Amino acid sequence: MNALGAGTPDGGAGGDPPDQARLGQLAEEQAALRRVATLVAQATPPEEVFAAVVEEVGRLFRVELAILFRYEPGRTATSVAAWGPAAEDLPVSIRLPLEGRNLSTLVFETGRPARIDGYADSSSGPIGAAVRETGIRSAVGTPVIVEGSLWGVIFVGSTLEQPLPPDTEARLASFTELVATAVANAESRAALARLAEEQAAVRRVAVLVARATPPEQVLAAVAEEVGGLLAVDYTVLIRSDPQDMITVVGGWAAAGVGLPSPAGSRFELGGRNVSTLTLRTGQPARLDAYVDVTGSIGDTGAQGWGFRSSVGVPISVEGRPWGLILVAYTRDQQLPADTEARLASFTELVATAVANAESRAALARLAEEQAALRRVATLVAQGVPPVEIFSAVSDEVVRLFGAAKAAVLRFSHDGPAAVFVGVSKSLDLPVGTRWGFQPGMASAQVYRTRRSARVDAMDWSSASGPVAAAARRLGIVSSVASPIVVEGRLWGAMNITSTDELVPPGTEGRLENFTDLLATAIANAESRSELAASRRRIVAASDQARRRIGRDLHDGTQQRLVSLGLAARTAEADVAAGRGDPEAYLARIAAGLADAAAELQEFSRGIHPAILSERGLGPALRTLARRSAVPVDLEVTADARYPEPVEVAAYYVASEALANAMKHARASRIEMSLAMRQGSLLLSVRDDGIGGADPARGSGLAGLTDRVEALGGSIRLDSAAEAGTHITADLPLEYELAKGAG
Amino acid sequence: MPLRCLLVDDNAAFLEAASLLLEREGVTVVGVASSIAEALQQARALRPGVILVDIGLGEESGFDLARLLAEDGQGGAGVILISAGAEADYSELIDESPAAGFLAKATLSARGISRILDRTP
């Protein structure tokens, strides 16, 4: 408030006594201040308060010009309100540089009230020139300080010759305080409103994120919200890609303007531009002067999009740099100083949306992977030939991993090499192609280490050789291979290559799920072919046995009987003729018949001993032992009846073992035992002979192995030289006859 | 003049029993053989009127012997195949063979031999 008694140089009007005039002036001033204060208290928009203040001030000080300037970034000021006859020639809302000598510049530089009398002669600069045009001669300006910062200046100017009264500065100060309060209130209200608006925008985006909206929609929504909220001309969301590339993934342009580079556009990082600065430093970056930008992004921003001021803020997803959000003005203005801070609240939301989308994508990928694995597993279970499975799996992994090509390789051990046994449709290489291992082949590493391996382009960009050359020609940037291990043997590898992006980390582990299935398919196929071979051997052994039986019957017993028949007829002839010695013939015939009978007995016992089917394994083994030429110690602790195939198999193993001991081992003693162990019948035959029996030789035992294995059992032969021979057969009682495969 | 016969069989017991029986029935067994080589040699040396050839000569085949005898110009000697098996088991092979006929060993007799030789032109 003004001190009473402050003089007014121009004196009162109409000859009132000076204190009367002062009192009137004071009352007028108080009324003006009260009116403005009321407006401020009513939360009138600042623009209205500004207009009221300049008018009140102008009338109160009886001047021709009252102006309120707001200071702007970059040493500029904008007139936000002006009053007075002289104001008509003054442009409002024009931003002018703070240069030369004038009140705005003086107050800006000193932060204190200032005065210029004789304005016409002692002012300069654009503001000075504009004010001078209005004919102002004396002017006083007072700073408007809002919460400690210089916000603007209010000044009054008179066209009269005499200077404004000396108390003008002090009186004006009361109004600047009111203006400051109005601005502070308005700013905090605006800040509140903006915060509310920002929160609403954030909430709308958050709802989208929570609803699992596809990320591209979320990104588009973020771009639009940010664009509207910050009132910029462009918002662009940019993802950073490997190898210094970036991709536009979303954007927004102020009404009616499309994105010059649509989503999906890719650029190479580098040069001086906001994207490169932001991504390289991991910090917000700003370019306000688009005169010295460089790089392909910079050129596009400056020329294609017409950027004049832009700000970028980095976005990290789960701790990893993901990309940035960029806003820009195309108008000739600088983005407000708080742009970086305001963008920051959206980057977290974008990060969450991306992270959610990624985890959903990971789930989807997992589901897809499971489906692919299930399809392959079905093929495996159906016993589809591995060759067909190999190509099917190659196509599945190409689809699943977004790889360019895939192949199943079988390792060849005669001169290390990989043979392509299955290829994806995208791989134009005939099945059967053989590649020697070369540096740069992931499969060569698998061959060496038996573990999954990865070769990225940068690891061998300088490698030489045909593989490296072919890979460069095909643009292969990454290649991953996982081993196929079939029952402990390194069988081969599955290999995938990509041409656009690096195969993502972790692919090795996922690929191994497929190689495990392939290993199962291969093992199944191998055991199927082993089974088929065993069946063929069983059939062949059976054919051979029949042939032997036929020949033995024909050559032995039948011949003997035929000869005996002839002898009988000879005897008959002799009896009829009454000559010779028929009795001797008859005696020989009788002896011959007895031999033939014994032969037949032996023979039928060989085919199937009656005692085995009549009395079981224990008695049959005892009979074998009794008849053996080499003494046998027999211990039977499992003397019951067992399934016929088990009894027959055990009997033949015992019979063959005894025969071998007798014929080949030169044994003097044989120990034979039959016992039960864990649901299996265990037959053991051990001799004290010379040992050294070769399981590969002697088809007798090989045939028996097939027979025993067909029952799910096993035969073991231990026959070190000079250590005797020990044959054991393990026959599960709950056997399952091998079923037909395929 | 009694029929002169060469017996070819790898079974010694049969050779003996058959020789004894055929001798009783008036056939002179001039020789026996148990392999192709031996039979060809005996046939050339003895010039028998009939050669009884066992179809199964161990690892060798009586059919081979019959063919070799025919090629060897033993036209004079009738070749008769014999076997412990039945004629029906071998009929096709017997038909193809240059042999004069077949006799089952069990029913071997001088009369059977004569019957086959008589119907041979």
Side-chain angles (χ1 to χ4, degrees):
Chain A
M1 294 297 116
N2 287 339
L4 288 172
T8 48
D10 58 341
D16 288 340
D19 48 339
Q20 267 292 329
R22 259 196 7 253
L23 275 175
Q25 190 188 50
L26 193 62
E28 214 180 309
E29 188 173 316
Q30 290 301 327
L33 281 170
R34 197 171 52 248
R35 280 193 298 276
V36 174
T38 305
L39 287 178
V40 171
Q42 285 169 348
T44 310
E47 295 73 27
E48 286 180 35
V49 176
F50 299 157
V53 165
V54 290
E55 185 180 347
E56 294 284 1
V57 166
R59 290 187 192 284
L60 189 67
F61 291 95
R62 298 190 171 83
V63 290
E64 284 71 38
L65 179 64
I67 304 188
L68 180 62
F69 274 106
R70 185 175 63 219
Y71 292 127
E72 308 277 4
R75 213 181 149 86
T76 56
T78 303
S79 62
V80 293
W83 177 91
E88 282 165 22
D89 302 328
L90 260 185
V92 178
S93 301
I94 287 300
R95 192 163 160 190
L96 295 166
L98 292 166
E99 287 164 10
R101 180 176 152 84
N102 54 66
L103 280 180
S104 297
T105 308
L106 277 175
V107 170
F108 179 77
E109 283 167 355
T110 62
R112 300 172 55 76
R115 161 188 292 266
I116 296 179
D117 295 327
Y119 207 95
D121 308 319
S122 58
S123 69
S124 61
I127 296 177
V131 172
R132 205 165 52 231
E133 289 291 302
T134 64
I136 294 298
R137 293 190 178 164
S138 171
V140 165
T142 326
V144 178
I145 301 195
V146 175
E147 288 173 353
S149 306
L150 183 61
W151 179 89
V153 60
I154 185 163
F155 89 72
V156 291
S158 161
T159 52
L160 300 178
E161 195 68 58
Q162 65 197 107
L164 285 163
D167 66 348
T168 308
E169 285 90 335
R171 291 171 62 200
L172 204 49
S174 307
F175 288 89
T176 63
E177 275 176 27
L178 274 175
V179 168
T181 306
V183 168
N185 284 358
E187 278 190 352
S188 67
R189 271 197 316 279
L192 267 175
R194 203 173 62 185
L195 195 64
E197 210 183 314
E198 209 166 281
Q199 291 301 318
V202 166
R203 199 170 52 243
R204 282 192 296 274
V205 176
V207 167
L208 290 181
V209 171
R211 281 187 189 149
T213 311
E216 54 276 16
Q217 283 181 34
V218 173
L219 297 180
V222 167
E224 186 182 344
E225 295 282 6
V226 166
L229 207 59
L230 273 60
V232 291
D233 297 310
Y234 284 114
T235 311
V236 192
L237 281 149
I238 293 164
R239 189 186 66 215
S240 124
D241 290 336
Q243 297 182 316
D244 268 359
M245 296 297 289
I246 57 168
T247 303
V248 173
V249 290
W252 173 89
V257 189
L259 282 186
S261 305
S265 304
R266 302 190 77 198
F267 298 95
E268 199 173 345
L269 278 186
R272 184 175 142 82
N273 51 68
V274 164
S275 298
T276 303
L277 290 173
T278 306
L279 293 174
R280 289 274 157 84
T281 61
Q283 299 289 327
R286 162 189 287 268
L287 280 180
D288 281 331
Y290 258 73
V291 287
D292 51 354
V293 294
T294 55
S296 69
I297 311 173
D299 294 345
T300 307
Q303 282 137 43
W305 301 56
F307 288 176
R308 289 291 168 267
S309 171
S310 71
V311 164
V313 175
I315 299 172
S316 289
V317 174
E318 289 170 349
R320 293 171 282 116
W322 176 86
L324 75 145
I325 183 166
L326 181 149
V327 292
Y329 277 163
T330 55
R331 65 195 97 146
D332 212 355
Q333 263 182 38
Q334 292 169 6
L335 284 158
D338 63 354
T339 304
E340 287 88 337
R342 297 185 68 194
L343 280 178
S345 58
F346 284 89
T347 60
E348 271 181 35
L349 216 50
V350 171
T352 307
V354 170
N356 285 359
E358 280 183 353
S359 65
R360 271 197 314 280
L363 270 175
R365 204 172 54 200
L366 195 66
E368 215 180 302
E369 188 168 317
Q370 292 302 321
L373 282 169
R374 200 166 50 242
R375 283 192 294 275
V376 174
T378 306
L379 293 180
V380 173
Q382 285 170 346
V384 171
V387 179
E388 286 174 38
I389 294 180
F390 295 154
S391 293
V393 171
S394 299
D395 285 326
E396 290 282 5
V397 300
V398 161
R399 202 158 43 234
L400 196 64
F401 297 126
K405 302 162 199 303
V408 177
L409 308 170
R410 176 168 196 169
F411 291 151
S412 139
H413 296 279
D414 50 335
V419 179
F420 288 74
V421 293
V423 294
S424 61
K425 292 189 186 80
S426 54
L427 181 54
D428 187 18
L429 201 65
V431 166
T433 302
R434 184 188 162 99
W435 277 12
F437 290 129
Q438 304 262 357
M441 282 171 75
S443 54
Q445 284 186 34
V446 172
Y447 183 79
R448 211 172 50 242
T449 62
R450 293 176 66 103
R451 299 159 70 96
S452 287
R454 155 191 291 270
V455 176
D456 290 334
M458 53 275 244
D459 299 337
W460 55 290
S461 51
S462 59
S464 59
V467 173
R472 269 196 294 273
R473 184 168 43 79
L474 296 170
I476 290 171
V477 298
S478 193
S479 144
V480 165
S482 291
I484 300 173
V485 177
V486 178
E487 287 168 355
R489 288 174 289 124
L490 180 63
W491 184 93
M494 171 127 221
N495 189 82
I496 61 173
T497 55
S498 67
T499 47
D500 295 334
E501 297 179 5
L502 295 181
V503 175
T507 304
E508 291 91 330
R510 296 169 62 201
L511 198 54
E512 281 165 15
N513 293 333
F514 287 89
T515 56
D516 283 352
L517 271 178
L518 285 178
T520 306
I522 294 161
N524 285 356
E526 284 182 351
S527 64
R528 267 198 304 278
S529 79
E530 172 50 33
L531 180 63
S534 150
R535 284 166 146 187
R536 281 195 298 275
R537 283 197 301 270
I538 288 174
V539 169
S542 155
D543 290 349
Q544 213 173 14
R546 282 160 171 275
R547 213 162 37 241
R548 200 175 56 236
I549 292 166
R551 201 182 56 227
D552 287 357
L553 275 174
H554 179 272
D555 292 355
T557 316
Q558 197 178 9
Q559 295 287 358
R560 188 186 286 274
L561 290 173
V562 163
S563 299
L564 287 170
L566 296 185
R569 280 170 48 208
T570 306
E572 183 193 11
D574 283 357
V575 169
R579 59 176 183 190
D581 189 0
E583 286 171 20
Y585 270 113
L586 287 172
R588 272 168 63 187
I589 291 166
L593 283 173
D595 284 350
E599 213 170 73
L600 275 177
Q601 194 182 39
E602 184 72 15
F603 204 74
S604 72
R605 190 184 294 124
I607 297 171
H608 190 91
I611 190 157
L612 183 60
S613 37
E614 294 295 324
R615 306 287 304 283
L617 194 50
L621 292 183
R622 278 190 280 274
T623 308
L624 268 184
R626 255 196 319 275
R627 292 168 44 80
S628 168
V630 181
V632 176
D633 291 331
L634 176 65
E635 188 187 20
V636 176
T637 56
D639 208 354
R641 295 308 302 262
Y642 304 104
E644 194 183 6
V646 173
E647 288 189 333
V648 171
Y651 179 84
Y652 280 122
V653 171
S655 170
E656 185 70 25
L658 290 183
N660 286 343
M662 248 182 293
K663 277 190 243 169
H664 309 301
R666 285 182 258 158
S668 64
R669 194 97 212 146
I670 298 172
E671 286 171 20
M672 181 156 73
S673 68
L674 182 70
M676 279 293 299
R677 195 182 64 189
Q678 292 168 350
S680 281
L681 201 54
L682 216 67
L683 173 78
S684 160
V685 182
R686 185 197 298 271
D687 69 43
D688 61 352
I690 56 170
D694 181 1
R697 231 188 46 220
S699 62
L701 209 57
L704 288 173
T705 303
D706 287 335
R707 182 188 280 269
V708 169
E709 284 178 354
L711 299 173
S714 61
I715 285 191
R716 190 186 151 98
L717 171 74
D718 293 308
S719 186
E722 306 302 326
T725 299
H726 187 195
I727 293 172
T728 50
D730 186 318
L731 290 151
L733 295 185
E734 300 227 340
Y735 65 91
E736 190 186 344
L737 288 171
K739 290 192 177 72
Chain B
M1 187 181 161
L3 186 59
R4 298 174 74 251
C5 172
L6 172 63
L7 270 178
V8 186
D9 198 305
D10 62 335
N11 187 311
F14 175 78
L15 288 177
E16 190 195 347
S19 299
L20 287 169
L21 178 64
L22 291 176
E23 291 283 353
R24 294 290 188 281
E25 294 184 353
V27 175
T28 305
V29 177
V30 293
V32 294
S34 49
S35 70
I36 286 177
E38 208 183 339
L40 289 172
Q41 195 188 354
Q42 292 278 64
R44 284 184 204 125
L46 300 170
R47 300 271 164 199
V50 66
I51 306 175
L52 300 184
V53 175
D54 185 15
I55 286 175
L57 289 172
E59 296 302 308
E60 298 177 330
S61 161
F63 292 111
D64 289 344
L65 177 56
R67 191 168 41 76
L68 289 169
L69 286 170
E71 286 169 6
D72 208 26
Q74 303 294 320
V79 173
I80 295 173
L81 292 163
I82 58 172
S83 173
E87 183 173 8
D89 293 343
Y90 304 106
S91 55
E92 272 183 35
L93 293 169
I94 293 165
D95 290 349
E96 284 172 11
S97 154
F102 175 88
L103 280 173
K105 282 184 182 179
T107 57
L108 185 64
S109 66
R111 199 151 17 122
I113 292 170
S114 303
R115 204 182 303 131
I116 288 172
L117 293 180
D118 288 350
R119 70 168 191 238
T120 309

